[in-house]
Amino acid sequence: MMLNRIKKYFSQSEPKAIVLMYHRICNIKTDPWQMAVSPNNFEEHIKMITKNFKVLSLTDLERQLGQGKIEDNSVYVTFDDAYYDNFLYAKPILEKYNCPATFFVPSHFIDKQELFWWDELESIILYSRILPGKLTMNINDTIHHFEFEIEKLTDGIQKKHESWNYQLEPPTNRCKLYLNISELLKPLPYEKIVTALNYIKKWSDFTSNKSVENLLMSSKHLEDLSNNKLFSLGIHTKTHPALANHSFEFQLDEIYGSKQYLSNINHSDINTIAYPHGDYNNETLIAARQNGVTLGFTTEEHIITRSSSPLTLGRLWVVNSDELVLKNKIIKML
């Protein structure tokens, strides 16, 4: 009994930190992956954490882990995917509250008018007014037959899409189709994903509508961020693959390409990475080390202590809630 009390005391007294993971800062109709936080909620989040916690940069975290210590109750802010809305809406708010942040960038998409595949697939499946009744297609040399009765996009169906996220049972066959295809595309290299998407576009007679906010930041935006002492850039590979599904050589190249691109923009070495989809294996960690990476971030919801492994650090995925919900979550974890 006494031993358990001692363990509990030391567990509670050990300094802890938490890394927040954002993706999009915008208002969108459908958000199946819970990636978007409204600008209003985001400002309340940043106002709250800068008032109640010590918000530090990842450079501080790297230094602390190297010294075997952690600043207690410290918070770190990160963004994955480098959506343009980060620059448009998040940057001014972060500056307003003097809040440091790191933006993890998939370098292939910079200065290209390309949507992420999951966003484009969402537009096709969840927004097209009418879709053919059946879909048969070759994905990674395997024929897949999808024979759902696909609903016409009525106001009622659209409302179901707007309230759905992937953790819930798909409320329509369109949602079911979207999930099924997403699961098949996620492990593939980017070229094969593009081939599959092009086929789906022809099948659906889809015309892409590339809203600026759905695109990524440009190289000029990244340069602007890197010139601001509050902000830093981090590796998110070149094409955002699920790394553990690929060879060591593929992973090494994906990390190296992103690192070199961002180091040129930043005019200094980039040594932090966020693994796309939170997906990694032992070869990923070796590839990261060989590329000089010193901090690696997952999507696993863990706090950080002085004994945390620097290449598999956890983060809290922030969803579109008010600041009190986030505050209580942070306090509970810390």
Side-chain angles (χ1 to χ4, degrees):
M1 181 68 72
M2 180 61 70
L3 180 60
N4 289 337
R5 287 179 180 176
I6 293 173
K7 286 182 177 179
K8 184 177 182 181
Y9 170 79
F10 280 106
S11 174
Q12 289 176 339
S13 62
E14 182 179 14
K16 302 181 184 73
I18 191 167
V19 180
L20 304 182
M21 174 179 52
Y22 289 92
H23 290 83
R24 306 200 62 179
I25 307 301
C26 61
N27 294 299
I28 52 178
K29 282 188 176 181
T30 55
D31 188 17
W33 305 112
Q34 294 191 289
M35 294 174 65
V37 172
S38 73
N40 287 340
N41 278 342
F42 179 71
E43 178 159 11
E44 292 304 312
H45 290 180
I46 299 303
K47 182 179 179 181
M48 178 273 295
I49 64 170
T50 53
K51 179 180 178 181
N52 294 280
F53 303 96
K54 189 164 187 178
V55 187
L56 301 174
S57 70
L58 293 189
T59 300
D60 294 315
L61 179 59
E62 179 185 7
R63 174 180 50 78
Q64 291 172 49
L65 287 172
Q67 296 172 349
K69 63 181 183 180
I70 284 293
E71 182 83 30
D72 197 26
N73 292 323
S74 55
V75 173
Y76 303 82
V77 178
T78 66
F79 294 80
D80 284 9
D81 302 337
Y83 280 99
Y84 173 59
D85 56 56
N86 292 183
F87 188 87
L88 189 62
Y89 299 116
K91 176 179 175 286
I93 294 169
L94 294 166
E95 290 173 328
K96 178 179 178 180
Y97 294 95
N98 197 38
C99 181
T102 297
F103 299 83
F104 291 105
V105 182
S107 57
H108 165 83
F109 301 94
I110 303 304
D111 292 332
K112 293 185 175 70
Q113 298 294 304
E114 293 184 28
L115 299 175
F116 283 122
W117 64 263
W118 55 86
D119 288 332
E120 197 147 33
L121 183 64
E122 178 185 332
S123 294
I124 297 169
I125 304 300
L126 301 188
Y127 284 99
S128 294
R129 182 61 56 183
I130 297 175
L131 290 172
K134 296 180 181 180
L135 172 60
T136 298
M137 63 180 299
N138 186 325
I139 300 179
N140 200 28
D141 300 324
T142 301
I143 302 298
H144 295 270
H145 301 278
F146 304 97
E147 299 188 6
F148 303 125
E149 182 179 337
I150 301 177
E151 306 92 344
K152 183 177 179 180
L153 191 64
T154 62
D155 290 344
I157 293 295
Q158 187 62 61
K159 286 181 180 179
K160 290 182 179 181
H161 292 170
E162 290 171 10
S163 62
W164 172 66
N165 72 68
Y166 78 101
Q167 295 172 317
L168 304 175
E169 187 71 21
T172 70
N173 285 337
R174 285 173 178 256
C175 294
K176 186 177 180 181
L177 179 62
Y178 175 71
L179 275 186
N180 286 351
I181 296 177
S182 295
E183 290 170 0
L184 293 170
L185 296 186
K186 180 181 172 182
L188 303 182
Y190 182 65
E191 295 76 14
K192 290 190 175 183
I193 292 176
V194 170
T195 298
L197 264 183
N198 286 337
Y199 183 89
I200 294 170
K201 289 177 189 176
K202 291 180 181 179
W203 164 78
S204 62
D205 194 24
F206 177 78
T207 302
S208 181
N209 179 18
K210 296 179 179 178
S211 169
V212 172
E213 289 184 22
N214 289 331
L215 298 173
L216 274 66
M217 287 187 267
S218 69
S219 55
K220 290 184 178 180
H221 296 139
L222 296 178
E223 288 172 7
D224 188 295
L225 291 174
S226 66
N227 289 330
N228 189 319
K229 292 182 179 179
L230 277 178
F231 307 133
S232 62
L233 306 179
I235 300 162
H236 207 37
T237 70
K238 292 191 296 185
T239 63
H240 203 285
L243 286 168
N245 293 278
H246 302 281
S247 70
F248 173 74
E249 291 74 17
F250 178 95
Q251 296 188 53
L252 196 66
D253 178 69
E254 280 281 334
I255 296 171
Y256 175 80
S258 180
K259 176 185 173 73
Q260 292 303 111
Y261 180 89
L262 297 174
S263 295
N264 288 336
I265 286 179
N266 201 57
H267 304 297
S268 63
D269 192 44
I270 301 291
N271 59 4
T272 60
I273 187 172
Y275 308 115
H277 308 288
D279 192 74
Y280 68 96
N281 58 17
N282 287 334
E283 289 187 332
T284 312
L285 305 183
I286 295 170
R289 289 191 191 96
Q290 289 192 14
N291 274 295
V293 172
T294 54
L295 293 181
F297 295 90
T298 71
T299 57
E300 297 160 5
E301 197 169 286
H302 300 310
I303 57 167
I304 295 175
T305 68
R306 60 190 176 186
S307 61
S308 295
S309 171
L311 289 185
T312 56
L313 299 171
R315 292 185 291 172
L316 171 61
W317 187 308
V318 184
V319 298
N320 192 30
S321 64
D322 64 40
E323 75 279 7
L324 291 179
V325 172
L326 178 60
K327 182 179 180 180
N328 289 335
K329 181 73 172 179
I330 293 172
I331 291 173
K332 183 177 180 181
M333 291 181 70
L334 290 175

